[in-house]
Amino acid sequence: MDYLASLRRHVGHAPLLMVGAAVLIVDDAGHLLLLKRSDSGLWGLPGGAVELGENVEQAARRETREETGLELGELSLFGVYSGPELFYRYPNGDEVHNITIIYLGNSS
């Protein structure tokens, strides 16, 4: 069972801090890769939550591979984002305050 799922067993839908990693992947033509979320239908970057024992760059690489099949080359830090505008309520009612580290990268 993953870390967030185990926490949810104890706190229900109550707000949690969630550290996540995402990647801006731009091709040579300047196209940005976006994914359509299956739970909400919204568009977003490849990425997701950092798991216990994983560093943020590893999470960015793992999530991108899981979601797109792409292996990433060099990554550079784009920015770190947090604050009330990153509050999110999932369709199932779970609430999170996101802290998101975004990288700029390309596929190898």
Side-chain angles (χ1 to χ4, degrees):
M1 178 179 294
D2 73 30
Y3 177 63
L4 288 175
S6 66
L7 284 176
R8 287 287 175 209
R9 287 186 22 234
H10 299 286
V11 302
H13 298 300
L16 294 174
L17 281 176
M18 185 165 72
V19 177
V23 183
L24 292 163
I25 302 172
V26 181
D27 67 15
D28 293 338
H31 300 114
L32 175 65
L33 177 64
L34 294 175
L35 306 175
K36 190 170 186 179
R37 294 182 59 96
S38 61
D39 61 352
S40 66
L42 298 174
W43 292 90
L45 300 172
V50 177
E51 295 290 339
L52 289 177
E54 184 176 49
N55 72 44
V56 178
E57 185 175 320
Q58 289 169 332
R61 291 178 184 283
R62 175 185 51 76
E63 288 285 348
T64 298
R65 185 175 47 259
E66 290 174 359
E67 295 175 358
T68 69
L70 296 173
E71 293 293 337
L72 295 172
E74 185 176 331
L75 295 177
S76 59
L77 181 63
F78 183 81
V80 178
Y81 301 89
S82 61
E85 64 276 7
L86 291 181
F87 170 81
Y88 184 74
R89 182 177 293 112
Y90 286 91
N92 71 356
D94 289 353
E95 296 181 351
V96 293
H97 290 269
N98 288 297
I99 301 166
T100 304
I101 296 94
I102 299 181
Y103 291 94
L104 182 60
N106 55 33
S107 58
S108 54

